[in-house]
């Protein structure tokens, strides 16, 4: 069973930066991973995805501001968020799957989420 644990959320002023991390465990095959967020009163939306081969996808709303990467070990991904805006305020979730689903919401495995608040 794949387990995902996020960290790094918090509060920041507009224009600031935050880094989110996600550690995956409990698997042996390459994982495709992504970050999603749930804005207040809305459903989850894909933010950034990284495939097992390193290819990345971004939502238009975060292109040029957010960067997804693997932190050395294949089982750790990082979302570096910059130029944060109040509308980026959301619960951010890490997701993983053995199929490359890019920014689709049908990932099989999800973390518990970490709150990001931009004021």
């Amino acid at each position: 069973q794949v387990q995902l644990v996020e960290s790094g959320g918090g509060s920041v002023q507009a224009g600031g930066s935050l880094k989110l991390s996600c550690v995956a465990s409990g698997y042996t095959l390459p994982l495709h991973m992504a970050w999603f967020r749930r804005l207040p009163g809305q459903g989850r939306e894909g933010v950034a995805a990284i495939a097992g081969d390193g290819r990345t996808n971004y939502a238009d709303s975060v292109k040029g501001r957010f960067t997804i990467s693997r932190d050395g070990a294949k089982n750790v991904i990082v979302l570096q968020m910059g130029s944060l805006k109040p509308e980026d305020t959301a619960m951010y979730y890490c997701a993983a799957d053995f199929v490359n689903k890019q920014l689709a919401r049908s990932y099989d495995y999800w973390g518990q989420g970490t709150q990001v608040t931009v004021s």
Side-chain angles (χ1 to χ4, degrees):
Q1 182 75 5
V2 177
Q3 295 182 322
L4 304 172
V5 178
E6 304 103 331
S7 62
S11 297
V12 65
Q13 291 189 335
S17 301
L18 274 177
K19 185 173 81 170
L20 305 183
S21 297
C22 174
V23 179
S25 62
Y27 69 99
T28 56
L29 296 174
L31 273 182
H32 307 282
M33 301 180 73
W35 286 97
F36 286 75
R37 64 186 181 187
R38 187 191 298 276
L39 281 68
Q42 300 184 33
R44 289 182 187 178
E45 66 173 20
V47 175
I50 185 163
D53 62 5
R55 287 176 294 173
T56 57
N57 294 89
Y58 294 92
D60 288 342
S61 59
V62 306
K63 281 180 181 176
R65 300 189 298 122
F66 292 9
T67 302
I68 188 170
S69 61
R70 292 191 188 270
D71 187 12
K74 291 275 189 178
N75 65 326
V76 179
I77 63 167
V78 171
L79 184 68
Q80 182 68 53
M81 304 184 293
S83 301
L84 283 162
K85 306 174 182 180
E87 51 264 43
D88 293 317
T89 295
M91 183 70 79
Y92 284 72
Y93 298 88
C94 177
D97 206 299
F98 295 112
V99 176
N100 185 4
K101 295 179 176 176
Q102 298 184 20
L103 295 179
R105 289 178 285 183
S106 56
Y107 279 73
D108 284 345
Y109 304 101
W110 294 85
Q112 293 299 306
T114 184
Q115 178 68 37
V116 171
T117 302
V118 185
S119 59

